[in-house]
Amino acid sequence: IGRYVLHYADGEQRELPLVVGEDVRDWHVKIHAGQPATYATEAWTGPGGTGGLRLDHRAYENPRPDVEITTIDFVSARTQATPFVVAITLE
């Protein structure tokens, strides 16, 4: 449904795909109920929608840990899904 484009200090770029069922699930709890994402964990659930809402947490390893990431683009694949990011942290 989208991808992250990592921009490095040396001008190189790398892409990390965002795939439903692997990296995220629908935020409506009833959709994908009982089906965990392959690489993500459930970070939050709360009221909303017709059966509750959820946010998943997905951590990635930097493909080039020795080079500084200067910016990250979040790019939608323009599908029926509407991906969004709540927060990004770097360690």
Side-chain angles (χ1 to χ4, degrees):
I1 62 170
R3 67 188 185 279
Y4 296 96
V5 181
L6 308 178
H7 299 269
Y8 290 92
D10 63 2
E12 189 174 326
Q13 296 179 19
R14 294 282 174 97
E15 293 188 3
L16 301 173
L18 186 60
V19 179
V20 172
E22 294 182 12
D23 306 299
V24 295
R25 295 172 294 166
D26 195 287
W27 75 322
H28 289 97
V29 172
K30 285 187 175 183
I31 299 173
H32 303 128
Q35 300 174 12
T38 305
Y39 304 112
T41 58
E42 191 168 274
W44 173 87
T45 58
T50 59
L53 299 175
R54 88 172 128 233
L55 295 176
D56 287 327
H57 170 266
R58 172 67 161 102
Y60 293 90
E61 290 292 324
N62 180 355
R64 301 183 66 211
D66 296 334
V67 183
E68 177 186 7
I69 296 173
T70 56
T71 61
I72 300 173
D73 295 334
F74 181 64
V75 182
S76 171
R78 297 185 174 242
T79 64
Q80 287 184 334
T82 307
F84 61 93
V85 174
V86 173
I88 293 178
T89 60
L90 298 174
E91 295 180 6

